[in-house]
Amino acid sequence: MRFSQLCDAYLELSQTAKRLEKTALIAALLKEVPDSDMAEVMMLLKGRVYPEWDKTQLGISSKLAIRAISMASGESETKIVQQFKKTGDIGQVCQQLLSKRKQSTLASSELSVKDVIKGMRKISTIEGSGSVDLKLRTIAHLLNNASPLEARFLIRILLEDLRIGIADGTIRDAIIQYALEKHGLHVIPADKPPKAEDSGVQTPAQEWRAAVQDAIDRSNDVAKVAVTARHEGLEGLRGIDLTIGVPIRVMLAQKETEVAAALTRVGTPAALEYKYDGFRMQVHRDKEGKITLFTRRLENVTDQFPDVVEFIKEVKVACILDCEAVGYDPKTGKYTAFQQISQRIRRKYDIDTLMKELPVELNVFDILYHENESVYLRPFEERRKLIEKIIPNRPGHIKPSDLLIAHAEAEVESFYKKSLAAGNEGIMLKTLAAPYKPGSRVGFMVKMKPVMDELDVVIVGAEWGEGKRSGWLTSFTIAVLDDDGNFVEIGRFGTGLKELEQEGGTTFSQVTDLLKDDILAEEGKEVRLKPNIVVEVKFEEIQRSPSYSSGFALRFPRFVRLRDDRRPEEISTLSDVMDAYEAQRGRNK
Ligand code: ATP
């Protein structure tokens, strides 16, 4: 497929904020995409050139992009910077400049979507001496082969800042709409998938909706789902199963602050488990004994955790497990804080030393696949029995998660206290009869922990410090996610970070290093950042506020910790903020 076709769609998509219109535009585009280009188009629609669980970054700064545009257009860098400051959109500046070129009478180029992915990946892998120069020439070459409109979007993709606001849900709805039209069914506006409770007779549209959503959840591959929907229809979609070795989006919990409300939500009797303060690990073991480990962000971390691989060798059957890896101090027999073990996720060298210094205990709390079949739809109770059957109980190494079946509030209260005393974050409550729902935040898994006034947010802006803080980014603008997948601002924090390493904790300098490559634009002391780094913040209160695009402001937000186990798409949402705002109003009454 030609890249120009996709760019026409980008343009139309960027001209509407309405989700239904975006859905229809993508559904129309899907008609034109050949099977063999579906994977590329799905990635590019999200502005990506690698699958979402691949953390490879293109690493192109706006400075380099400006030099490349200068090379391709013949315009001076100073002039480009000036125009960029005026419009705030480097892609548009690039388009305007290139449309003045002679050959730009051509409305499109010969670039295909495959060329774009290939070219971008090539740029990201250029290393070593002279690499900046080579990157520059490769980008300029790509721009020279592109039409002005294509160049606009190429630059945005290169800067990982596509800005057309397409949420995963919009892509799902577009596949549904496309499939319904393709199979000659009546199209009704896409809305939320049907809920289990209104399970009367499903209309064809509802059936398709459920089948597409489930197939996405199981395969985590929208391109495969779109192609299957095209050729094999409903039956084909239903036949897409979990594949050992392919990471699945995890099920997420809702939160409650009161025991009574939590129990009402999950039903009694309920399963109670410790909420360990570690990080989530999805374990895959195939029939031949090949073991693969993924984080919650679906990154492959098998090499970083040879200890966990050894534990899983003791599990003799093929399986997919959902677990929490918790830092464990063998001397004291106590759990250690998440902060300490989080470095194990990123470490690529001295792995054996780090493994000895910071051992983990693997707590298995769910199972999705067992021996030859998927078991994630079976009731929790049954899945738990399988866990107890196949997982050895070896505290300090690997074990089924600590669990109690509770019948009354008093039992929950005392389990909660016991869990906190053992150094855990809180407890999880689970519905005994419920299935596992990949990728959803569901009411049959509920978390309770003491401090609820915290959010996971992404940093979208900052300010260069002065005096002894000069050289560091200091005051940080933070954002949450709205329903359409846009990052909306909710406040600014400056506290919680340390000036000196000796003080313990994350420093301004560390955060500045992490953010440096994400700078999109600078004006005076202010910088605008690509939404990439996720942090947890605490705050005193949420207020309504016209100053931020979310319509809310956090009062006294302070940094708690980096959440590098979370993707920006997984941060707190505007509806979490609204819920917290309502809960706070309830408490203040
Ligand atoms: P938090 O920020 O509160 O750690 P989260 O937002 O990362 O939670 P949630 O789904 O909201 O994710 O909360 C559940 C998380 O708690 C899981 O992602 C998992 O990592 C962790 N966890 C710890 N113990 C358990 C357990 N026994 N069962 C399920 N999840 C557990």
Side-chain angles (χ1 to χ4, degrees):
M1 184 178 189
R2 300 253 296 268
F3 183 55
S4 62
Q5 250 175 301
L6 182 61
C7 289
D8 291 339
Y10 280 153
L11 190 64
E12 285 183 288
L13 284 162
S14 64
Q15 285 163 348
T16 174
K18 294 202 182 95
R19 181 155 167 183
L20 286 184
E21 285 179 18
K22 288 191 183 195
T23 306
L25 284 167
I26 299 173
L29 177 74
L30 292 183
K31 276 193 213 155
E32 311 296 324
V33 184
D35 293 352
S36 56
D37 285 334
M38 195 61 91
E40 286 81 0
V41 170
M42 287 297 190
M43 272 189 282
L44 288 170
L45 272 174
K46 298 276 295 184
R48 306 187 59 96
V49 296
Y50 289 100
E52 61 175 344
W53 58 86
D54 188 330
K55 266 194 95 182
T56 312
Q57 292 198 337
L58 291 173
I60 304 296
S61 63
S62 50
K63 237 191 196 148
L64 193 75
I66 288 169
R67 282 176 66 192
I69 298 170
S70 166
M71 200 181 240
S73 67
E75 188 58 271
S76 76
E77 287 176 41
T78 331
K79 199 78 178 281
I80 299 174
V81 171
Q82 271 170 7
Q83 291 196 24
F84 175 29
K85 282 198 171 147
K86 240 189 262 161
T87 60
D89 180 352
I90 188 80
Q92 208 170 353
V93 175
C94 178
Q95 180 181 11
Q96 278 161 3
L97 290 174
L98 293 192
S99 57
K100 291 185 194 146
R101 289 177 314 191
K102 251 210 265 140
Q103 70 269 40
S104 66
T105 35
L106 286 174
S108 63
S109 72
E110 292 305 314
L111 273 180
S112 69
V113 289
K114 280 204 164 55
D115 293 334
V116 171
I117 298 267
K118 225 167 98 190
M120 299 263 178
R121 287 187 181 175
K122 191 172 144 205
I123 292 167
S124 74
T125 52
I126 298 174
E127 276 178 355
S129 69
S131 63
V132 174
D133 215 44
L134 187 56
K135 275 188 190 179
L136 199 57
R137 275 186 284 124
T138 317
I139 301 171
H141 182 72
L142 203 58
L143 295 178
N144 273 328
N145 284 323
S147 74
L149 183 69
E150 288 172 320
R152 166 175 173 174
F153 291 111
L154 280 174
I155 283 292
R156 286 197 189 169
I157 296 168
L158 260 176
L159 291 173
E160 294 169 287
D161 186 30
L162 184 61
R163 285 201 254 166
I164 51 172
I166 300 176
D168 289 342
T170 312
I171 291 187
R172 174 203 61 211
D173 291 346
I175 297 176
I176 296 165
Q177 186 164 333
Y178 161 72
L180 287 173
E181 282 173 23
K182 159 99 187 153
H183 297 278
L185 293 159
H186 181 58
V187 178
I188 48 170
D191 54 19
K192 293 205 169 102
K195 293 196 185 109
E197 55 262 33
D198 29 78
S199 59
V201 181
Q202 283 192 330
T203 63
Q206 282 175 325
E207 268 190 306
W208 274 87
R209 216 164 272 162
V212 168
Q213 179 67 60
D214 289 350
I216 294 177
D217 291 341
R218 284 193 298 267
S219 66
N220 198 15
D221 184 344
V222 279
K224 180 175 179 178
V225 172
V227 172
T228 308
R230 168 181 286 166
H231 298 294
E232 298 171 45
L234 268 184
E235 283 315 302
L237 289 173
R238 289 178 181 147
I240 294 182
D241 200 1
L242 308 180
T243 312
I244 299 184
V246 177
I248 303 143
R249 291 194 195 193
V250 298
M251 174 163 88
L252 298 171
Q254 293 186 346
K255 58 182 168 192
E256 287 290 354
T257 39
E258 307 292 331
V259 169
L263 265 187
T264 310
R265 203 178 268 242
V266 297
T268 19
L272 310 183
E273 291 178 33
Y274 285 170
K275 183 178 193 314
Y276 304 96
D277 189 14
F279 59 90
R280 200 150 178 175
M281 195 177 263
Q282 193 180 106
V283 174
H284 292 234
R285 184 191 198 282
D286 74 11
K287 276 199 211 75
E288 279 73 47
K290 181 167 185 261
I291 294 161
T292 327
L293 312 176
F294 299 99
T295 64
R296 169 195 169 127
R297 289 179 71 158
L298 313 184
E299 287 163 60
N300 187 328
V301 287
T302 317
D303 291 344
Q304 286 93 306
F305 292 92
D307 42 353
V308 175
V309 170
E310 284 304 313
F311 302 156
I312 299 300
K313 284 188 186 158
E314 295 175 39
V315 182
K316 301 292 178 204
V317 295
C319 57
I320 300 179
L321 305 170
D322 202 352
C323 318
E324 187 85 352
V326 208
Y328 185 80
D329 185 341
K331 281 194 217 103
T332 60
K334 291 217 165 104
Y335 290 133
T336 54
F338 165 81
Q339 272 308 41
Q340 286 189 10
I341 50 160
S342 69
Q343 43 179 310
R344 287 203 54 187
I345 304 175
R346 270 164 285 134
R347 186 66 81 85
K348 298 271 152 61
Y349 56 92
D350 283 348
I351 287 173
D352 283 347
T353 319
L354 201 66
M355 176 180 92
K356 287 190 192 108
E357 275 170 23
L358 302 170
V360 294
E361 176 187 85
L362 193 72
N363 284 276
V364 182
F365 60 77
D366 221 320
I367 182 162
L368 287 78
Y369 195 98
H370 174 251
E371 280 191 312
N372 295 315
E373 53 182 337
S374 293
V375 295
Y376 71 102
L377 289 174
R378 294 197 195 164
F380 174 80
E381 237 172 338
E382 276 183 37
R383 302 200 305 277
R384 175 71 194 189
K385 283 200 186 112
L386 285 176
I387 293 176
E388 286 171 6
K389 190 170 128 197
I390 66 168
I391 303 298
N393 190 3
R394 296 215 295 117
H397 295 87
I398 178 173
K399 64 181 185 50
S401 55
D402 296 80
L403 174 136
L404 175 86
I405 305 291
H407 298 80
E409 279 181 36
E411 285 172 274
V412 182
E413 295 283 5
S414 70
F415 188 78
Y416 190 29
K417 282 196 192 114
K418 193 172 140 199
S419 179
L420 292 177
N424 298 302
E425 257 197 313
I427 55 168
M428 307 293 297
L429 296 93
K430 300 177 182 182
T431 307
L432 293 177
Y436 188 99
K437 197 92 187 69
S440 305
R441 198 170 278 285
V442 291
F444 38 78
M445 171 156 115
V446 166
K447 60 179 170 183
M448 276 191 66
K449 49 183 183 174
V451 187
M452 301 309 286
D453 291 336
E454 57 194 31
L455 290 171
D456 291 323
V457 296
V458 71
I459 301 180
V460 293
E463 204 180 284
W464 287 112
E466 287 176 334
K468 64 177 177 171
R469 293 189 172 183
S470 73
W472 297 335
L473 291 169
T474 50
S475 171
F476 302 90
T477 308
I478 48 183
V480 293
L481 206 59
D482 76 5
D483 279 349
D484 296 323
N486 301 308
F487 294 105
V488 286
E489 293 178 4
I490 190 159
R492 235 168 203 260
F493 76 84
T495 48
L497 289 167
K498 305 283 187 280
E499 290 185 350
L500 304 171
E501 227 163 274
Q502 299 86 286
E503 293 173 79
T506 312
T507 60
F508 283 105
S509 151
Q510 282 168 337
V511 173
T512 306
D513 276 348
L514 286 173
L515 291 170
K516 257 195 325 228
D517 289 338
D518 295 331
I519 296 179
L520 292 169
E522 292 193 46
E523 182 141 28
K525 284 191 300 173
E526 294 288 326
V527 300
R528 196 167 72 77
L529 294 158
K530 191 185 303 166
N532 186 27
I533 299 297
V534 177
V535 299
E536 184 178 314
V537 291
K538 265 190 191 154
F539 53 89
E540 303 229 320
E541 210 185 355
I542 301 175
Q543 298 169 321
R544 287 232 174 248
S545 162
S547 319
Y548 294 106
S549 50
S550 63
F552 291 95
L554 301 182
R555 211 165 107 86
F556 304 129
R558 64 183 281 118
F559 172 90
V560 181
R561 60 172 167 165
L562 290 168
R563 290 290 316 240
D564 33 18
D565 57 331
R566 282 203 154 194
R567 292 183 296 129
E569 294 79 24
E570 290 177 325
I571 60 171
S572 304
T573 60
L574 193 52
S575 58
D576 293 336
V577 172
M578 287 177 191
D579 287 351
Y581 178 72
E582 289 306 324
Q584 167 194 303
R585 285 191 352 154
R587 284 203 296 273
N588 293 345
K589 259 181 206 155

